[in-house]
Amino acid sequence: ATETVRAGRSNSVSSPPLQPPEYAQKIDVNPPKGTRDFPPEEMRLRNWLFHNFREVSELFGFEEVDYPVLESEALYIRKAGEEIRDQLYCFEDKGNRRVALRPELTPSLARLVIQKGKSVPLPIKWFAIGQCWRYERMTRGRRREHYQWNMDIIGVPDVTGEAELISSIVTFFKRIGITAKDVGFKISSRKVLQEVLSLYSVPETSFAKACIIIDKMGKIPMEEIKKELKLVDLSNDAIEDLLQVLSMKSLTELEEKLGGSGEAVRELKNLFSLAETFGYSEWIQFDASVVRGLAYYTGIVFEGFDREGKLRAICGGGRYDRLLSTFGGDDIPACGFGFGDAVIIELLKERQLLPEVPLEVENIVCSLDPDLQGAAATVATHLRGKGQRVDLVLENKPLKWVFKRAARINARRLILVGRSEWEKGMVSVKILSTGEQNEVNLDDLQ
Ligand SMILES: OCc1cccc(Br)n1
């Protein structure tokens, strides 16, 4: 075949490496601002994390789903002043469509549930692990993407749904060595806010906005919180009453304020008694200040937090009974959570619980003679056929190089293909930890 010689590059192996062609332009080898590469070591840790997400989801009988990273912008146009809306990574595509990189997975889930309609029997129990995006001014140097694990139950109106979801997260934490001493769940209900605001003539449209403002408590000054609440038509009395309730840390106190007959207190009491039966009471506490920052929550809300208080929320979720109907679907109750891939790794580092996830390739196979490269390929294929991982040395390399590579890949065995052995259908097997070396018939090689 005629060799095409690219301008500026010589095909002869002997000439010294030339300067890159004049058209080459050194690219920025870093990933875009706010995004991450996952080179092998980081990818092994990520795979370990996602493997645990999947194992727990399957333990709870959930089915895995996924959706496009790119969605119609319309899925996220909510007018409640959410940060997620301000930071939407949206643009107009070449077909003049308004699209967005998904900032969360729940709207996609709602879209697919509606699309599937009656063809999917309830309750739906789906989980997903997907990359989510936000466009944040890099002034704060925060990430623009993360991977989120979501589990959602659609079609169960009772708090047994939320209890099941919290149980799945507790199960996940236990699997990776996190205990109730490290992490807890703050639990409340948006119905607490609803019942307080119902004592004052607060317009329904103000409810979601008030929740988003209250979610900023602790992040912006209290005076700013009050100012923003006034702007969504809450009276001073309503605000004072609300803030007093939000400081409550006991259900007894809440019941004294709201009475025991309302839905908020009844559901929370039910959830805490279910926690007893699941066996995770030590993990949860009532905290009226938890509202979460998504507009569509309508009932129970919860968030996982690190008890040392050094990190941002580890995960969060709650009930969203109106989301499907706001998308034009039937009025189907739903609850779910999101669990990001970043804070949990920070927590594991803090607690010295990061797992060792070394590269482990059991075997390294190499020929001792360039003419036996084919024989080495035969040996590698034989072993791979038996489910053995094999790193096949693909070039004629000195043994010193082979031993160095064997150490890097944590190989247990070095399989040497030499002429005299191969003529007898044998190979030489060296156990690298002991140095023990034997000739083995290829057919007996396991
Ligand atoms: O949790 C909010 C969020 C959404 C998308 C991307 C990132 Br990073 N963070």
Side-chain angles (χ1 to χ4, degrees), residues 83-84 102-104 132-134 143-146 148:
E83 186 181 70
I84 209 164
R102 64 191 179 196
E104 55 165 327
C132 296
W133 293 82
R134 66 182 173 194
R143 279 176 295 100
R144 284 188 174 151
E145 54 77 23
H146 72 170
Q148 249 198 35

